[in-house]
Amino acid sequence: MLIRIVKMGFYKEHICTFLSNFDANREKIRAFEGCTFLELYQDKQESNIFFTYSYWRNETDLDKYRQSDLFKNVWSKTKPLFDRKPEAWSVEKIVSLN
């Protein structure tokens, strides 16, 4: 399993636009082949900072998503809203306690 973490900073006036676009596409992203989990977080100190956490069966599935029309459509509407360059990490879970 691969976990993808993306940190995004938005101009404050575009937060509602981002959330609306995410809401309209979150089920499609989660249903994309290979995606097993999707969450969105908002920073408590800087309300214009958001993180997505998505779990993928493997890197190939993530790459297929990143090359898909769905990703291109979502990203083309998200990218102009950024107030800084997004950051992304692909990580593997080592330990999880419930």
Side-chain angles (χ1 to χ4, degrees), residues 4 8 15 23 34 39 45 52-53 55-57 59 62 64 70 72-74 78 82 85 88 98:
R4 184 71 169 179
M8 301 167 285
I15 291 172
D23 188 51
E39 286 187 327
Q45 301 299 317
T52 57
Y53 278 61
Y55 290 16
W56 298 86
R57 286 185 308 209
E59 194 164 351
L62 173 60
K64 286 179 186 176
L70 173 60
K72 291 173 186 173
N73 180 48
V74 171
T78 304
F82 292 142
K85 184 178 178 182
N98 289 323

Side-chain angles (χ1 to χ4, degrees), residues 57-68:
R57 286 185 308 209
N58 53 53
E59 194 164 351
T60 301
D61 288 333
L62 173 60
D63 287 341
K64 286 179 186 176
Y65 167 67
R66 293 180 69 212
Q67 296 171 11
S68 72

Side-chain angles (χ1 to χ4, degrees), residues 85 89 97:
K85 184 178 178 182
W89 300 269
L97 303 175

